[in-house]
Amino acid sequence: SEIITNKLTGKTAAGNVTITSEGGSATMQLQQGLVKFWVNAVQTSTHTANDSLNIASLTDNGTGRTELGFTNNMNNANYCASGLNRDGGGYNDDFNIGVDSGGAMSTSAFEFYCHNNSTANDCDNDAMVSAVGDLA
């Protein structure tokens, strides 16, 4: 069978669409397994997005630091982000996604940063970040 639709709405609650696992013995909410934001960005010069989903802005917060502003906010700051980078200067960049004491991890923004041997370093190719969690 084929279902063609522009919108899925849960019967019990609008945001509750349950699917059955591949093995058939478990269920989960569809929206829980979807990526809520992602970006493929360049940190050098203007901090630009090569491509993205749910990213309204990229802000240069200093060497190696990029703050992502979301188009649609997260429900809380307890989402799970992951990432990696592809640098063009050899194997000289370590990639951290996270928040230091001054970095953003809120419902509306997330900051990631790159460094080389503990020194902040802009990633000059692809810095890639994504996250799962609940949208507001």
Side-chain angles (χ1 to χ4, degrees):
S1 295
E2 178 181 11
I3 298 173
I4 299 173
T5 183
N6 289 325
K7 182 179 179 181
L8 292 174
T9 303
K11 184 176 180 179
T12 307
N16 186 5
V17 177
T18 303
I19 61 170
T20 303
S21 68
E22 296 84 359
S25 61
T27 60
M28 70 174 276
Q29 287 186 318
L30 176 64
Q31 55 276 44
Q32 285 291 306
L34 300 176
V35 170
K36 301 310 189 298
F37 70 81
W38 64 265
V39 66
N40 178 314
V42 175
Q43 287 185 303
T44 54
S45 300
T46 60
H47 283 235
T48 57
N50 294 321
D51 202 357
S52 67
L53 170 73
N54 196 27
I55 300 297
S57 63
L58 277 76
T59 303
D60 184 348
N61 282 351
T63 302
R65 296 175 56 187
T66 301
E67 184 175 313
L68 306 172
F70 308 143
T71 304
N72 298 292
N73 288 349
M74 301 298 286
N75 189 52
N76 56 54
N78 298 321
Y79 47 90
C80 179
S82 61
L84 58 97
N85 75 320
R86 182 177 68 92
D87 190 35
Y91 298 99
N92 67 339
D93 282 338
D94 299 315
F95 185 72
N96 292 298
I97 58 163
V99 181
D100 61 18
S101 61
M105 184 169 184
S106 67
T107 58
S108 61
F110 178 78
E111 181 182 70
F112 67 89
Y113 53 96
C114 289
H115 65 87
N116 178 20
N117 294 325
S118 301
T119 301
N121 183 45
D122 281 344
C123 177
D124 63 358
N125 271 324
D126 306 321
M128 298 163 272
V129 179
S130 64
V132 295
D134 298 330
L135 286 177

